[in-house]
Amino acid sequence: MVVNTARDLPAGRGVAVAEMLLEKGVKGVVVELIGPRPFAKLKEAGVKVYPGPLLKVQDVINAIKAGQLAPPLEAPTEAPHAGEHGSC
């Protein structure tokens, strides 16, 4: 298990999580939402980003085992700064 140490950051959570995942050597991730910066960071590193809206973890595991994940995403699912709070 990996603890999401970026969970309480006021901004930049997605990029911090992407960096943590890259340090762990992941080859693919399943996401409900992902912003442009973390998406680009993962894609540049060759990590496949799969859509997984509203799925339970066991559903994702079963889909991986059955080779039934949707194709990797080609673009982020969130607009820039979607996860940031406060004024710009």
Side-chain angles (χ1 to χ4, degrees):
M1 181 170 118
V2 177
V3 176
N4 180 358
T5 57
R7 167 183 252 161
D8 297 323
L9 292 176
R13 289 183 299 272
V15 172
V17 170
E19 290 170 351
M20 177 187 63
L21 293 172
L22 292 173
E23 289 173 7
K24 298 291 182 186
V26 300
K27 303 289 185 216
V29 296
V30 178
V31 300
E32 181 176 350
L33 299 169
I34 187 167
R37 293 185 305 156
F39 180 83
K41 183 171 271 305
L42 293 170
K43 189 160 178 132
E44 287 171 12
V47 175
K48 293 184 191 281
V49 181
Y50 295 94
L54 305 175
L55 294 177
K56 295 178 184 173
V57 172
Q58 190 59 52
D59 294 338
V60 173
I61 292 169
N62 292 341
I64 291 169
K65 288 180 178 178
Q68 296 176 338
L69 278 179
L73 295 170
E74 294 296 325
T77 58
E78 288 188 318
H81 308 290
E84 295 179 12
H85 300 286
S87 59
C88 293

